[in-house]
Amino acid sequence: MTAINNLDANKNSNLRRLCKMIRAWRNKHGLAMGGLLIDTLVYNFLNSTTEYDDKSYHYYDWLSRDFFKYIHELEEQTEYSAPGSRQRVKVKKKFQKKAKKAYHLCLEAIDANGQSNENDKWKKVYGRPFPKAETVSKASLSIHTHATWKNTEEFIEDKFPVDIKENIKIDCEVKQNGFREFFLRDMISRHIPLRNKKDLRFEVKEISVIQPYDIYWKVLNRGEVAKKKNNIRGQIVADAGMRQKIESTNFRGDHIVECYCVKDGVVVAKDRIHVPIVIEGNRDE
């Protein structure tokens, strides 16, 4: 704590603020990363540069970009030394891949500077707590006022505190006529299209949380077809006890399934998988 306080004072209070920002990023993207590891990585980053010694909020877009670039370029290792105490801090899950994605999301957000979608770009990095731009908010209100579809999406942070420290991984068994064809993550990696009239069984494949805990699911339909059908869904529902969710491919769009693990009233692990459904002949039905 003394080491953190001393460096924070020398970095214009940017260390503690960046630590909070990276916790928001971790919670948004479901990365199993303890708070002490975050503090250590932020400490090491700011200790390695003088670029932000006299900078403040106006430069936090560049600060975000440079931090994610720094950690995605780090060599993979199993532990770090905490500032001051030199306590060994274990790495639960590799973070480089998600950090690289965050770096590119930051680049997109910086390129959108001054545009109406700038804040939405930053939400992809830091999640819903990042404020909406006033102009975007008004436009969005206008759209929803005249919409023919109902936005039924729910958000887990409105139901439970989120503090991601554990790991959960889901996958989806794709079946047709009762026979398994593929697992969805394998299909996506091999660029095999997911077509309609398939049965989907989403299941928890890995989890590091010690029981007891509760599992929740969210299925969100996105795209114009979902709006046309007024079938956005997005409600958060409790697992029935089998750690699985049964669905089917009905219409085209980039759908999303999320899974949350809640222990002692706190979301400690989450994962999501995209379900890109392609319809034969490009038809909606």
Side-chain angles (χ1 to χ4, degrees):
M1 290 180 64
T2 300
I4 292 288
N5 290 336
N6 289 341
L7 189 64
D8 189 53
N10 293 331
K11 300 292 179 177
N12 200 27
S13 300
N14 289 324
L15 191 153
R16 289 188 177 278
R17 293 172 189 158
L18 184 56
C19 286
K20 291 180 179 179
M21 291 161 63
I22 303 310
R23 281 169 169 78
W25 165 71
R26 172 200 66 184
N27 292 341
K28 159 69 176 172
H29 296 277
L31 179 61
M33 178 181 281
L36 185 55
L37 177 58
I38 290 175
D39 295 346
T40 300
L41 293 174
V42 173
Y43 180 97
N44 292 347
F45 165 66
L46 287 176
N47 200 37
S48 70
T49 178
T50 59
E51 184 69 26
Y52 299 99
D53 288 6
D54 58 351
K55 303 295 192 299
S56 191
Y57 299 106
H58 184 69
Y59 289 87
Y60 277 16
D61 51 355
W62 291 1
L63 176 65
S64 300
R65 174 201 64 192
D66 292 350
F67 173 77
F68 288 121
K69 183 176 188 296
Y70 169 82
I71 66 168
H72 99 68
E73 291 178 346
L74 289 174
E75 294 291 334
E76 294 180 3
Q77 55 191 75
T78 58
E79 60 181 30
Y80 287 84
S81 296
S85 67
R86 315 311 297 172
Q87 174 185 341
R88 308 311 296 174
V89 184
K90 291 187 177 181
V91 178
K92 295 182 178 180
K93 294 291 289 186
K94 298 174 184 177
F95 51 78
Q96 282 82 354
K97 184 177 179 180
K98 289 193 175 184
K100 183 177 182 179
K101 180 179 178 180
Y103 168 68
H104 287 289
L105 289 175
C106 289
L107 293 179
E108 292 179 10
I110 291 170
D111 287 342
N113 181 41
Q115 300 176 19
S116 60
N117 63 342
E118 178 183 3
N119 288 49
D120 287 337
K121 295 286 188 181
W122 284 113
K123 281 179 178 290
K124 291 183 178 181
V125 181
Y126 291 118
R128 288 180 68 231
F130 195 92
K132 285 187 175 181
E134 184 177 354
T135 53
V136 173
S137 229
K138 289 180 179 177
S140 176
L141 179 61
S142 175
I143 290 171
H144 288 299
T145 301
H146 299 91
T148 57
W149 54 276
K150 184 178 181 181
N151 190 349
T152 53
E153 183 179 4
E154 297 177 346
F155 299 93
I156 194 67
E157 55 264 37
D158 294 335
K159 297 179 177 292
F160 302 99
V162 179
D163 188 17
I164 304 297
K165 294 182 179 178
E166 300 290 343
N167 178 62
I168 187 171
K169 183 177 181 179
I170 61 174
D171 205 342
C172 174
E173 184 183 48
V174 181
K175 288 185 176 182
Q176 188 168 36
N177 299 326
F179 294 95
R180 188 177 81 193
E181 296 187 344
F182 295 98
F183 278 96
L184 183 55
R185 292 193 187 275
D186 183 46
M187 292 179 66
I188 293 173
S189 66
R190 295 165 61 183
H191 304 288
I192 299 173
L194 176 63
R195 304 197 182 277
N196 62 329
K197 299 181 181 178
K198 307 287 187 183
D199 296 318
L200 307 177
R201 185 175 70 87
F202 297 89
E203 61 176 329
V204 175
K205 301 286 288 186
E206 300 176 10
I207 187 167
S208 65
V209 187
I210 299 175
Q211 291 183 329
Y213 53 73
D214 297 310
I215 298 293
Y216 290 82
W217 296 92
K218 172 177 172 177
V219 179
L220 178 66
N221 296 331
R222 301 200 301 188
E224 292 305 315
V225 179
K227 294 178 182 178
K228 179 182 176 181
K229 292 176 175 287
N230 192 23
N231 192 14
I232 297 296
R233 298 180 65 184
Q235 296 90 346
I236 294 171
V237 297
D239 183 79
M242 300 294 291
R243 302 200 313 183
Q244 66 179 20
K245 188 85 170 67
I246 306 299
E247 295 287 329
S248 61
T249 58
N250 292 323
F251 54 85
R252 177 169 51 87
D254 182 24
H255 311 283
I256 292 174
V257 173
E258 291 189 335
C259 182
Y260 315 97
C261 179
V262 178
K263 185 174 180 64
D264 298 328
V266 178
V267 180
V268 296
K270 62 183 281 192
D271 193 22
R272 70 153 46 185
I273 188 169
H274 287 265
V275 187
I277 301 173
V278 178
I279 301 299
E280 296 282 3
N282 262 344
R283 295 181 303 160
D284 293 343
E285 302 294 343

